[in-house]
């Protein structure tokens, strides 16, 4: 009895110490005693993927609170049991409280307990039997290991874990062995564990060689082997052995990668070798971090990584670079010898001098540009590897990074295991002084000293990098100058910059230049290649490299700037205007590059290193941007708008019989179109919009001034009207391009959008000229005569002079604009036109367009993408798309809208009509998990994947529970591994009271019921949290689907459609073992699959989905849960249903406050938040760009669909199939004025349309009753009577 109670105490202590640690670290606790003490943890893997609302936060916090309370009660019960058993055993020391129990447990030495004796003969017979089985029988090692572990855990036998070759001390927390002939016992035990050690080491080595299993399985296998070795030998010896194994693997890997290539070792071969080995090394380090994190404390894990991997890599790299330095020095010395032979000097003298110089200067030698590039690539690999290891250690071990090495860390990292199992350690701590306990130890951190390997090369690299940079930059500049002389008058050679290099991705898309000068691109590409040489500097030994790199880059920046200044001065006398744009774009590109260099080196340098070049380029950019704007405006003022024939206002003859506008106006329009094309093609989008806005505003100011001063004759009056109408139409066409948001277009403010406001002001002035000068005199007289006596309000001008007033007087623009100038929402056509007029893919504007007017554009895309009947070519294209794993349009739209957490209704509104036409609502009521070989609708597949990902944590926890139960209770695949021979069982000392697992399993009949009940409880308890973590758009989608349900379905699914589908998904996963294995990466045997099937039956019985009556086992499982917690299952289902319904109800209530659609209530801030959230999700930005590309390719078709009068989704059918690929179309290489002319004749300068306009003077003229009296008199005086 005494032994059994103390054995339970040991179990309680182990569970308390290890279980709590696992729960805190976020792991799923493996119940080793079949639910004797229940510790639980919340699975919040999906929480960070969404932005939860208030209800979701309440549910998540309540779930955490419930788990904490449950774990607290389990720990308290565990401590109480331990307290009572200790008090029964030790009557001389009574524990009064659980606090005393914890103190006793912390200070207790299990090896110091008074044990009973075990007969020496029995022990010798037992060990000899083990030895005989291992030597004479094959494949008995695994069985014996499990048997010894079972003896230790069940009977409390502590087998000696002494180092190899030390004195023998076999002790036990329950039993001690007599000291007679201890050396014989020691030799037998050493022989047994040596045989087992060889077996485990061979398994580890063979696992490394095959590497055919999944990573998760391999990791678990190696962890088990390490833990079994720790059972046999002390931690230090096991780690040393494992470290030697891994050390050899690392050395062999690095050497094989270098020696696998033929020929002598050179820089190129070293780079290629490390490029192939570094990913493997990172994978090995990640695997060992996971293995060691569950076995030893973080400090020892970091020490192991430092000594095994980082130090070994540094040593191998040092030896390799020394060899390369030696070869390079000999090669340079050989060149010196040859040179001296030519100059007739003695070879021996030269060799002696070279040798002396070699020892004096420390192996200084010349490196070519190619060799420097190889070294730079090598350093880049190490920088990336250092960053990767830093992330892994922070993710797995929660330890500081490389950069935090010198920071003061408070506290001491203690060992997480092993300390409480050694009695001598705690016994000796009583003599430690309090002052010594307060001493803070320096924690062990990662230390990757790869930079030390480059110290011998530092002086040579620092010397050669300056020469190399000056050399290639000079050659590139000279080559560019020769090309310029050979092709006089030609434009600057440009290259596309659409595919930004990895180093430039920090620059936002709106600031990225599109085309830059080729010579500058070549120079910056070379500098980017050498940049890692400067980034590697963290200590004094490599500072010279960075200093020389910065100095050389500054010289190159100055030379490139001088060249760009020369190019800008050649415009327009020697070079075309496009060179000015190219010079500006190139200068911005260089400025961004050096700003990036400065930011990257700021980590190792406190002061800015590229301050002077950055300032020089900033000044040059400002001057050049002003020069571009000023030149374009001067061209308009002095050349284009100087039209004596057209502007001969006092001519008595009509200009072309009043059927066309002035030549100058038409040429101004062509110039603006050409400028628009050049700016959009070359410059960064933001800069291009700024320049076009400036040119448009200043040229409109000139036109407004000139037409306000015009005094046309009677015959020339219609020309004024046509000219101003053409100017306004052209401005309206350009206005979509210069406005970057709907707010800027519809509500320009004088303080916020001054230039846009001025454009509207100039257009309104031109319209007033048109109204006063060209309106029929009768209408003008009647309008002002009838209202002359009325008192006009003080704010009359504000009422009629809205900035957008002129736009609503142009009949051609009304289709794209809101109904009134003060309207808050733009028409759908205008929203689309604004999006496609931008110089880049404006993600904020794109999302706003997709959500606009209840997702109208999305509905058109979905309707147009339906392919009810596919021909052969379309089927082949669809199959190719599936094989390439390219997301379809429906999947892309679904993913983007499901990410819009601030617009929960968008997903349901967009797909509601589509689901009804495709008759897909019923698919939600019978959702399956796997549909291999079936053509499944994309929407259903996306919903299914979302639900599967949400329950993945539950499935993993259930499978982990199964594996733990198998290992503990000897079921499943563990059953055949632990069939212990009768000959061995007979030799087990009777004093140990060992009961074989087979007999225990026969005695316990309720274990299966307890296992199934625990699994079902986990599923039911997690449902509310899973629903809380689902994206709000998905929850609203199921809420909408519930409203579409028929009565039969509604009665069947009282728990709610979402809860129903979640449980159905879990049941389908448990039903199909292959799906469960694929989803979790675990391996399931037949026993586990059977038990998962039992859990599935129980869940189906709870949901009322079973066709037949519940089985007896199922009834027992449900009854056991109800007995422990009455009505708990029903309350959890109702809680999950209520949470889902409440979230959807809040969504509906919030949506009713919006008047014109779901996008109307969104501010620019909310749209920006949603875009940022989407871009941070997997593939979010790519999905948005794919949708934008499809819209761009089908611009005319979508405009046609949007412009249909009395739009009805039932009446309009799609005759065009959308291209669903991401193949881009190339821009036209040159500006084609004839194409612009053809487009202008149709859209802007349709002369017959303009002349036939019926101006509604009765509505237009009253708008100018509040016109300034002096302005009215001046304009009226210019009119010909």
């Amino acid at each position: 009895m005494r032994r059994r109670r103390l054995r339970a105490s040991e179990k309680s202590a182990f569970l308390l110490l290890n279980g709590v640690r696992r729960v805190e670290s976020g792991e799923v606790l493996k119940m080793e005693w079949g639910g004797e003490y229940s510790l639980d943890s919340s699975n919040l893997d999906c929480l960070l993927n969404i932005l939860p609302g208030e209800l979701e936060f309440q549910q998540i916090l309540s779930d955490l609170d419930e788990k904490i309370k449950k774990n607290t009660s389990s720990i308290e019960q565990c401590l109480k049991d331990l307290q009572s058993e200790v008090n029964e055993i030790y009557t001389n020391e009574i524990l009064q409280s659980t606090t005393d129990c914890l103190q006793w447990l912390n200070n207790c030495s299990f090896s110091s307990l008074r044990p009973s004796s075990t007969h020496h003969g029995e022990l010798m017979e037992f060990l000899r039997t083990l030895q005989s089985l291992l030597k004479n029988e094959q494949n008995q090692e695994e069985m014996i290991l499990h048997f010894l572990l079972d003896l230790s855990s069940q009977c409390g036998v502590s087998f000696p874990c002494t180092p190899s070759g030390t004195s023998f001390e076999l002790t036990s927390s329950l039993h001690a062995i007599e000291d007679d002939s201890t050396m014989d016992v020691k030799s037998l035990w050493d022989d047994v564990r040596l045989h087992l050690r060889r077996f485990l080491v061979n398994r580890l080595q063979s696992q490394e060689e095959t590497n055919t299993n999944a990573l998760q399985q391999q990791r678990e296998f190696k962890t088990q082997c390490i833990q079994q070795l720790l059972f046999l030998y002390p931690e230090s010896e096991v780690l040393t052995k494992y470290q030697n194994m891994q050390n050899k693997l690392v050395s062999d890997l690095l050497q094989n990668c270098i020696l696998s290539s033929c020929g002598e070792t050179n820089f190129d071969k070293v780079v290629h070798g490390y490029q192939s080995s570094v990913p493997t090394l990172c994978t090995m380090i990640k695997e060992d971090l996971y293995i060691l994190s569950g076995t030893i404390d973080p400090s020892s894990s970091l020490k192991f990584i430092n000594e095994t991997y980082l130090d070994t890599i540094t040593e191998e790299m040092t030896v390799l670079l020394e060899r390369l330095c030696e070869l390079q020095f000999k090669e340079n010395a050989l060149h010196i010898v040859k040179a001296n032979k030519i100059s007739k000097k003695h070879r021996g003298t030269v060799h002696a001098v070279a040798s002396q110089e070699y020892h004096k200067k420390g192996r200084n030698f010349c490196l070519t540009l190619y060799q420097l590039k190889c070294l730079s690539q090598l350093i880049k690999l190490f920088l990336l590897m250092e960053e990767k290891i830093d992330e892994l250690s922070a993710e797995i071990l929660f330890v500081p990074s490389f950069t935090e090495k010198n920071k003061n860390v408070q506290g001491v990292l203690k060992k997480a295991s092993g300390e409480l199992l050694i009695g001598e350690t705690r016994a000796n701590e009583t003599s430690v002084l309090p002052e010594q306990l307060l001493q803070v130890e320096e924690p062990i951190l990662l230390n990757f000293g790869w930079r030390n390997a480059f110290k011998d090369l530092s002086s040579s690299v620092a010397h050669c990098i300056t020469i190399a940079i000056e050399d290639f930059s000079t050659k590139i500049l000279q080559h560019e100058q020769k090309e310029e002389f050979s092709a006089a008058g030609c434009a600057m050679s440009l290259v596309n910059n659409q595919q930004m290099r990895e180093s430039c991705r920090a620059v936002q898309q709106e600031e990225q230049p599109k085309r830059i000068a080729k010579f500058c691109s070549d120079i910056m590409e070379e500098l980017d290649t050498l940049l890692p040489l400067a980034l590697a500097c963290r200590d004094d030994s490599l500072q010279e490299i960075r200093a020389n790199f910065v100095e050389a880059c500054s010289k190159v920046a100055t030379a490139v700037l001088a060249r760009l200044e020369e190019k800008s001065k050649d415009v327009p006398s020697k070079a075309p205007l496009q060179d000015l744009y190219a010079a500006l774009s190139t200068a911005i590109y260089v400025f961004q590059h050096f700003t990036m260099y400065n930011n990257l080196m700021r980590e190792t340098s406190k002061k800015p290193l590229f301050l002077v070049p950055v300032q020089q380029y900033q000044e040059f950019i400002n001057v050049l941007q002003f020069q571009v704007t000023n030149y374009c405006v001067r061209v308009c003022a002095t050349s284009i708008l100087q039209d004596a024939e057209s502007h001969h206002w006092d001519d008595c003859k009509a200009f072309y019989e009043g059927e066309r506008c002035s030549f100058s106006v038409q040429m101004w329009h062509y110039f603006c179109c050409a400028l628009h094309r050049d700016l959009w093609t070359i410059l960064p989008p933001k800069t291009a919009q700024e320049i076009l806005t400036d040119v448009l505003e200043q040229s409109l100011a000139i036109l407004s001034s000139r037409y306000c001063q015009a005094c046309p004759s009677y015959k020339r009056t219609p020309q004024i009207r046509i000219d101003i109408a053409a100017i306004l139409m052209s401005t309206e066409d350009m206005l979509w391009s210069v406005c970057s948001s709907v707010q800027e277009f519809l509500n320009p403010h004088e303080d916020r959008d001054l230039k846009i406001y001025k454009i509207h002001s100039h257009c309104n002035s031109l319209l007033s000229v048109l109204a006063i000068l060209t309106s029929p005199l009768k209408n003008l007289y009647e309008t002002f005569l009838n209202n002359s006596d009325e008192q006009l309000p003080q704010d009359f001008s504000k009422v009629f002079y809205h900035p957008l007033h002129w736009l609503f007087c142009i009949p051609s623009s009304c289709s794209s604009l809101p109904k009134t100038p003060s309207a808050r929402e733009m028409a759908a056509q205008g929203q689309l036109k604004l999006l496609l007029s931008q110089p880049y893919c404006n993600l904020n504007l794109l999302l706003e367009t997709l959500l606009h007017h209840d997702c109208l554009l999305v509905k058109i895309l979905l309707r147009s993408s339906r392919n009810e009947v596919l021909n052969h070519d379309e089927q082949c294209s669809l199959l190719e798309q599936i094989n390439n794993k390219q997301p379809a349009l429906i999947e892309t739209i679904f993913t983007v809208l499901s990410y819009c957490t601030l617009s929960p209704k968008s997903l349901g509104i967009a797909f509601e009509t589509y689901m009804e036409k495709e008759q897909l609502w019923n698919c939600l009521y019978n959702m399956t998990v796997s549909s291999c070989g079936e053509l499944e609708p994309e929407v259903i597949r996306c919903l299914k994947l979302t639900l599967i990902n949400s329950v993945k944590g539950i499935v993993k926890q259930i499978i982990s529970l199964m594996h733990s139960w198998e290992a503990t209770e000897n079921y499943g695949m563990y059953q055949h591994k632990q069939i212990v021979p009768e000959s061995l069982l007979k030799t087990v000392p009777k004093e140990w009271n060992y009961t074989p697992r087979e007999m225990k399993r026969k005695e316990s009949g309720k274990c299966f019921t307890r296992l199934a009940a625990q699994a079902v409880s986990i599923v039911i308890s997690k449902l509310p949290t899973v629903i809380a973590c689902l994206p709000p758009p998905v929850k609203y989608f199921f809420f909408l689907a519930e409203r579409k349900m028929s009565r039969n379905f509604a009665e069947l699914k009282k728990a709610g459609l979402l809860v129903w589908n979640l449980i159905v998904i879990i049941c389908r996963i448990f039903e199909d073992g292959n799906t469960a294995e694929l989803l979790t990466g675990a391996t399931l045997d037949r026993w586990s699959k059977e038990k998962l099937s039992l859990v599935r039956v129980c869940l189906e019985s709870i949901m009322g989905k079973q066709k037949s009556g519940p089985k007896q086992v199922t009834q027992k499982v449900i009854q056991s849960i109800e007995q422990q917690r009455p009505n708990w299952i029903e309350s959890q289902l109702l809680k999950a249903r209520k949470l889902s319904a409440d979230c959807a109800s809040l969504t509906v209530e919030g949506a009713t406050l919006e008047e014109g659609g779901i996008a109307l209530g969104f501010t620019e801030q909310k749209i920006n938040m949603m875009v940022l959230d989407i871009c941070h999700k997997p593939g979010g930005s790519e999905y948005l760009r794919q949708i934008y590309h499809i819209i761009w390719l089908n611009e005319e078709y979508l405009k046609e669909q949007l412009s249909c009068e009395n739009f009805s989704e039932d009446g309009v059918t799609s005759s065009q199939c959308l291209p669903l690929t991401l193949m881009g179309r190339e821009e036209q290489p040159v500006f084609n004025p004839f194409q612009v002319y053809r487009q202008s004749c149709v859209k802007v300068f349709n002369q017959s349309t303009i002349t036939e306009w019926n101006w509604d003077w009765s509505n237009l003229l009253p708008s100018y009753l509040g016109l300034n009296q002096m302005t009215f008199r001046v304009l009226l005086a210019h009119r010909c009577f």
Side-chain angles (χ1 to χ4, degrees), residues 41-254:
S41 61
S42 292
N43 180 25
L44 301 179
D45 296 337
C46 52
L47 177 59
L48 298 180
N49 294 330
I50 66 166
L51 186 63
E54 184 177 355
L55 287 175
E56 287 87 348
F57 264 126
Q58 291 178 1
Q59 170 58 35
I60 292 168
L61 292 177
S62 65
D63 182 68
L64 286 173
D65 186 58
E66 182 181 349
K67 304 305 179 188
I68 291 173
K69 290 180 180 178
K70 185 177 178 182
N71 291 341
T72 302
S73 63
S74 297
I75 294 172
E76 288 178 353
Q77 184 63 38
C78 178
L79 286 173
K80 289 179 181 178
D81 293 345
L82 180 63
Q83 177 186 351
S84 61
E85 293 181 6
V86 170
N87 288 338
E88 288 182 12
I89 297 172
Y90 295 99
T91 55
N92 57 345
E93 183 180 3
I94 304 300
L95 302 179
Q96 302 294 337
S97 62
T98 55
T99 305
D100 296 338
C101 185
L102 283 174
Q103 292 178 355
W104 174 86
L105 187 64
N106 201 30
N107 297 321
C108 175
S109 171
F110 289 117
S111 61
S112 63
L113 298 176
R114 291 180 299 171
S116 59
S117 60
T118 301
H119 193 272
H120 178 263
E122 294 181 355
L123 182 61
M124 290 290 293
E125 185 181 1
F126 173 71
L127 292 177
R128 285 196 186 98
T129 306
L130 288 177
Q131 185 184 42
S132 175
L133 282 173
L134 290 172
K135 288 184 177 180
N136 300 327
E137 302 289 339
Q138 294 183 354
N139 303 325
Q140 297 296 313
E141 292 84 0
E142 189 172 0
M143 179 273 296
I144 290 177
L145 276 170
H146 284 282
F147 175 63
L148 293 176
L149 289 168
D150 196 20
L151 275 174
S152 178
S153 63
Q154 183 187 150
C155 304
V157 176
S158 178
F159 291 94
C161 188
T162 56
S164 302
T166 59
S167 60
F168 177 71
E169 296 177 1
L170 178 59
T171 59
S172 171
S173 57
L174 298 179
H175 315 284
I177 312 303
E178 295 178 358
D179 293 334
D180 298 338
S181 306
T182 55
M183 292 307 296
D184 294 334
V185 176
K186 174 186 178 303
S187 60
L188 283 174
W189 172 243
D190 280 348
D191 188 49
V192 169
R193 65 174 183 165
L194 179 62
H195 192 105
L196 295 175
R197 186 181 75 175
R198 289 173 181 170
F199 167 73
L200 292 173
V201 171
N202 288 334
R203 294 186 72 181
L204 284 173
Q205 291 176 341
S206 62
Q207 184 74 8
E208 291 290 351
E209 291 173 1
T210 56
N211 196 21
T212 55
N213 295 332
L215 293 177
Q216 180 69 22
Q217 298 176 8
Q218 178 177 334
R219 190 184 304 161
E220 293 176 356
F221 174 81
K222 293 183 70 173
T223 303
Q224 183 184 17
C225 290
I226 296 296
Q227 291 175 347
Q228 289 172 346
L229 282 171
L230 289 172
F231 173 74
L232 300 173
Y233 291 92
E235 179 182 300
S236 58
E237 189 169 344
V238 173
L239 290 181
T240 302
K241 181 65 178 177
Y242 185 61
Q243 182 176 335
N244 293 335
M245 291 171 49
Q246 298 298 93
N247 234 328
K248 186 177 183 305
L249 284 174
V250 174
S251 300
D252 293 343
L253 175 64
L254 295 176

Side-chain angles (χ1 to χ4, degrees), residues 855-1122:
C855 303
L856 177 59
L857 185 63
V858 175
K859 293 177 182 178
I860 296 175
L861 290 172
L862 291 175
R863 186 182 66 249
S864 304
S865 63
R866 290 193 298 126
N867 298 320
E868 297 178 358
V869 180
L870 298 177
N871 56 36
H872 178 72
D873 295 337
E874 291 174 338
Q875 289 178 356
C876 294
S877 176
L878 182 61
L879 290 175
E880 182 180 356
Q881 183 180 359
I882 294 174
N883 293 333
N884 294 334
K885 296 183 180 180
Q886 181 180 349
L889 176 62
I890 296 178
E891 179 185 353
T892 304
I893 293 175
F894 179 91
T895 306
V896 169
L897 294 182
S898 66
Y899 288 162
C900 296
T901 56
L902 296 180
S903 178
K905 286 186 62 180
S906 58
L907 181 65
I909 290 177
F911 280 89
E912 182 176 6
T913 306
Y914 176 82
M915 295 284 289
E916 290 176 355
K917 286 192 174 183
E918 297 292 326
Q919 299 179 357
L920 297 177
W921 290 119
N922 291 335
C923 296
L924 294 178
Y925 314 139
N926 297 287
M927 192 177 293
T928 59
V929 175
S930 59
S931 56
C932 300
E934 301 178 6
L935 290 177
E936 189 177 29
E938 286 291 330
V939 185
I940 305 302
R941 188 178 66 85
C942 294
L943 283 170
K944 184 183 67 179
L945 289 176
T946 303
L947 298 185
I948 289 175
N949 288 330
S950 66
V951 301
K952 187 184 295 183
I954 297 178
V955 176
K956 287 183 178 179
Q957 188 169 354
I958 299 299
I959 291 178
S960 177
L961 176 67
M962 294 292 175
H963 285 170
S964 176
W965 197 281
E966 281 183 296
T968 306
E969 301 298 331
N970 193 27
Y971 293 117
M973 62 181 178
Y974 292 89
Q975 182 176 352
H976 69 276
K977 293 180 180 179
Q978 293 191 3
I979 300 178
V980 183
E982 288 294 331
S983 58
L984 180 58
L985 290 175
K986 291 179 180 179
T987 60
V988 176
K990 297 180 180 180
E991 185 74 18
W992 294 355
N993 286 336
Y994 174 68
T995 303
R997 287 295 181 95
E998 290 81 1
M999 295 181 64
K1000 284 186 62 182
R1001 188 171 66 254
K1002 293 177 182 178
E1003 294 173 358
S1004 60
K1006 299 181 180 180
C1007 51
F1008 289 130
T1009 304
R1010 191 166 69 239
L1011 170 63
Q1014 189 174 354
V1016 171
S1017 299
I1018 290 175
V1019 173
I1020 300 299
S1021 64
K1022 300 290 184 183
L1023 281 177
T1025 305
V1026 167
I1027 290 179
C1029 294
L1030 278 174
V1034 175
K1035 285 184 277 192
Y1036 178 79
F1037 190 92
F1038 278 96
F1039 172 78
L1040 191 63
E1042 248 184 89
R1043 295 162 60 180
K1044 306 285 184 180
M1045 289 169 57
S1046 63
R1047 293 183 178 180
N1048 295 331
F1049 285 121
E1051 293 175 359
L1052 186 62
K1053 305 171 180 63
K1054 294 181 180 179
L1057 185 60
L1058 181 55
V1059 179
W1060 168 272
N1061 275 288
L1062 286 172
I1063 295 181
V1064 167
I1065 289 288
I1066 295 174
C1067 291
R1068 294 294 177 266
I1069 293 173
F1070 289 166
E1071 183 181 13
D1072 185 5
N1074 295 331
T1075 304
E1077 291 179 340
L1078 185 64
L1079 189 64
T1080 61
T1083 302
L1084 300 176
D1085 59 355
R1086 182 177 178 181
W1087 184 89
S1088 297
K1089 292 179 180 179
E1090 289 177 355
K1091 301 313 159 191
L1092 287 177
S1093 179
L1094 175 62
V1095 175
R1096 172 187 63 82
V1097 173
C1098 294
L1099 291 174
E1100 290 179 349
S1101 177
I1102 290 174
M1103 297 304 295
K1105 193 173 182 291
Q1106 277 188 319
K1107 297 181 181 180
S1108 59
K1111 298 180 181 180
Q1112 185 177 2
V1113 179
T1114 306
Q1115 289 179 345
K1116 288 182 179 180
V1117 171
I1118 299 176
Q1119 287 175 3
S1120 65
I1121 299 175
E1122 291 293 335

